Amino acid sequence: MASITMKHMKKSYDNKTYAVKNLNLDIKDKEFIVFVGPSGCGKSTTLRMIAGLEDITDGELYIGDRLVNQVPPKDRDIAMVFQNYALYPHMNVYDNMAFGLKMRKFKKDEIKKRVNEAARILGLEDYLNRKPKALSGGQRQRVALGRAIVRDPQVFLMDEPLSNLDAKLRVQMRSEISKLHQRLQTTTIYVTHDQTEAMTMATRIVVMKDGAIQQVGSPKEVYDSP
Ligand code: ADP
Ligand code: ADP
């Protein structure tokens, strides 16, 4: 678990225009921050800079006390969950969840323990030998979540993880992700354009517009404000 601090953080893809302009934000340890805002306002770019998948053009990013601008993704202790799940199609559920740990040279017994625990939490025990194509959308998203939680990272980043699910599953997974956060208390940044998700899940909401923060506040402050 860790705090995240952005100081004057900027991103330009073309050295002329800024996709993200001068972001200043302090995220406390254990918070569940939801980023909202119209398409193209810079939410994904911000997440990708935190993950290390995009260079930071200017400014500073700290995870805990550590300046991470130059730290590669694999050394940031962050797990990311994507809208399209990004599972390995040729691997079964067990191996999909184990992969990141194998890459990081975890011992086999530890991998087994973590994967089985995650499978239990996410209700995937009966699906460990299935390939992703033999799973429902909700099950696939649980595998993607499982792959993130087995790593027990300092930070979770989730980029519209529920937007490929139907309305009923979205409601269910929303509450499962909230419960997961109550249980693990991992600092989380969650991107969505679903107002209900933002209102029900966030400790604080960050409203972005045109690459800048427009408002930061509790769900009540953001959605009850005139
Ligand atoms: P959001 O996630 O809020 O929809 P993005 O962060 O994806 O917004 O995009 C912010 C801006 O940056 C948009 O104008 C988008 O076109 C631009 N952008 C995003 N990714 C790239 C890229 N790889 N190359 C150039 N421009 C990009
Ligand atoms: P290895 O990594 O040498 O293949 P393991 O005993 O770790 O040996 O696992 C063998 C395979 O069995 C794994 O690749 C995985 O697909 C599957 N597997 C391991 N543990 C479980 C489990 N608890 N439930 C379902 N499948 C499992």
Side-chain angles (χ1 to χ4, degrees), residues 13-14 18-20 37-46 48 54 159-160 191:
Y13 289 102
D14 59 6
Y18 283 85
V20 169
S39 183
C41 71
K43 305 183 296 296
S44 292
T45 298
T46 302
R48 293 170 59 78
E54 293 288 354
D159 196 352
E160 305 209 21
V191 167

Side-chain angles (χ1 to χ4, degrees), residues 183-197:
R183 176 184 184 130
L184 304 174
Q185 299 277 297
T186 308
T187 309
T188 302
I189 305 181
Y190 185 104
V191 167
T192 184
H193 47 238
D194 183 317
Q195 184 173 326
T196 315
E197 283 177 25

Side-chain angles (χ1 to χ4, degrees), residues 118-136:
R120 199 178 56 73
I121 293 171
L122 295 163
L124 289 169
E125 293 125 307
D126 296 338
Y127 302 94
L128 287 169
N129 294 312
R130 287 207 198 175
K131 298 276 174 64
K133 69 172 187 309
L135 299 174
S136 70

Side-chain angles (χ1 to χ4, degrees), residues 92 94-95 108 112 116 128-129:
N92 67 18
Y94 182 97
D95 291 330
K108 210 175 206 172
K112 226 170 223 174
N116 285 319
L128 287 169
N129 294 312

